[in-house]
Amino acid sequence: MTKRLDGRVAVITGAGSGIGLATARRFAAEGAKVVCVDLDEESGAKAANEVGGLFVRADVTDEDAVRAMYETAVEAYGSVDIAFNNAGISPPDDDSILTTGLEAWKRVQEVNLTSVYLCCKYAIPHMQRQGKGSIINTASFVAVMGAATSQISYSASKGGVLAMSRELGVQFAREGIRINALCPGPVNTPLLQELFAKDPERAARRLVHIPLGRFAEPEEIAAAVAFLASDDSSFMTANTFLVDGGISGA
Ligand code: NAI
C-alpha cells in the first residue's frame, strides 16, 4: 500500500467500531500515527492496540474532553495533521417529526452535530499553527436528500454537519486547512445492523434505492477518507463527498 500519510498524525473519533475502525486501520497502513478516540473503552483501546496508536477515551459531546484529546495527540506525536470527526449515533426509534420527542431530538443533535462543532473548534487552532491540516467530518447521504425511512432528527443533524463543513472549508482555505464533508450511503456497520434488527424490512426498502445493489463495507468508506486526508485531494475543500453506491445520482 502507498504511504500517503507517512508521519502524519490523525485523530479519529468513533475509532472503536465501523467506519472509524476501518479508517484507523487504513490510516495506519498508509503510515499515519493514529489517535483512536471512543467513548467505549474496550473497543477503542483494542483498535489503538491493533494499529499501534494511542487510545483516548472521550465523550465527543464534552468540551473539555475534546480539547484534551487534541492536546494529548500533540503531546504524544507533535501535531494534529488530520482530524476525522466521525463519532455518531443512529436515529431514535420511530424518528418521525410527529413522534420524536424533544429530548431524543436534542441528544441526536448533541452527539452528531455539536460534537463536530467541538472537534473543529479545537482541532483548527493546532492546524493554524502548523499552517496546514485536513479535516473530514462524517455527514451522510441523508444530508443531501430525503430518505425512504423516517429519520428526521438524524437527517437534520447530518445536514448541519454538511453546512458547517462547507462554511469552515471556505473560511479556513487560505490558511491551508482543508475541510470536507464525507457523505456515506448505507454502510455495513453495527450502527446500521442495529437499525435493521429493529426493523428488518428497512434493509429491503433501502436496497431498492442503491444502484450498486448492496450496502458499502466500512473499508470502502475508509479508502475515501484516506483520499480526503491525503495530498491526493489537495485541491478539494468545502466539498460534499458522496460515497453512496449511486443513491444520490439515481
Ligand atoms: P458505529 O456505531 O459502528 O461506530 C460509532 C462509534 O462511535 C462507536 O465506536 C461508538 O462507541 C462511538 N461513539 C458514539 N457516541 C460517542 C461519543 N459521544 N463520544 C465518543 N465516541 C462515541 O457507527 P458507524 O456506522 O461506523 O458510523 C460512523 C459515522 O458514520 C456516524 O457519524 C454515522 O452517523 C455515520 N454514517 C453511518 C452510515 C452507516 O450506514 N453505517 C451511513 C452514513 C453515515
Side-chain angles (χ1 to χ4, degrees):
M1 185 164 288
T2 50
K3 300 269 186 187
R4 293 180 297 183
L5 306 179
D6 215 10
R8 310 257 172 109
V9 179
V11 179
I12 302 177
T13 69
S17 176
I19 296 169
L21 175 59
T23 303
R25 289 174 174 148
R26 176 78 189 220
F27 278 10
E30 294 220 30
K33 294 169 191 149
V34 184
V35 177
C36 294
V37 178
D38 209 291
L39 187 56
D40 186 82
E41 187 135 22
E42 196 183 328
S43 63
K46 196 169 162 219
N49 190 42
E50 184 191 326
V51 303
L54 195 68
F55 171 59
V56 176
R57 185 184 176 278
D59 180 340
V60 289
T61 68
D62 176 339
E63 182 160 12
D64 292 337
V66 170
R67 188 194 301 112
M69 76 194 191
Y70 293 117
E71 286 169 359
T72 302
V74 172
E75 278 161 24
Y77 295 132
S79 61
V80 178
D81 303 304
I82 301 158
F84 181 34
N85 303 324
N86 164 76
I89 52 173
S90 55
D93 292 347
D94 197 11
D95 191 16
S96 151
I97 190 76
L98 302 176
T99 51
T100 295
L102 187 56
E103 285 313 309
W105 163 274
K106 282 183 181 168
R107 178 73 189 143
V108 173
Q109 305 318 313
E110 196 181 9
V111 181
N112 288 2
L113 176 58
T114 307
S115 68
V116 177
Y117 149 78
L118 290 173
C119 288
C120 290
K121 180 170 182 171
Y122 290 105
I124 286 171
H126 293 291
M127 295 177 173
Q128 282 181 307
R129 273 193 294 281
Q130 297 159 196
K132 64 181 170 63
S134 175
I135 296 179
I136 303 105
N137 296 324
T138 305
S140 165
F141 75 101
V142 299
V144 300
M145 60 188 296
T149 46
S150 182
Q151 43 183 42
I152 189 65
S153 64
Y154 183 84
S155 296
S157 72
K158 294 302 188 180
V161 170
L162 176 59
M164 181 162 50
S165 305
R166 283 183 172 151
E167 192 72 29
L168 294 175
V170 171
Q171 186 179 350
F172 292 99
R174 301 284 172 110
E175 296 190 53
I177 304 169
R178 298 188 297 109
I179 301 162
N180 292 295
L182 172 80
C183 298
V187 190
N188 189 15
T189 68
L191 183 146
L192 196 71
Q193 287 150 8
E194 186 191 312
L195 281 178
F196 291 160
K198 285 184 202 155
D199 175 8
E201 285 172 19
R202 192 180 181 120
R205 287 201 302 275
R206 266 277 182 269
L207 272 174
V208 171
H209 299 277
I210 307 175
L212 283 179
R214 62 177 177 83
F215 302 115
E217 291 305 319
E219 292 72 22
E220 295 177 284
I221 308 302
V225 186
F227 168 70
L228 290 173
S230 79
D231 294 343
D232 280 353
S233 60
S234 54
F235 201 54
M236 287 176 58
T237 199
N239 194 276
T240 305
F241 200 74
L242 284 146
V243 188
D244 66 356
I247 301 177
S248 57

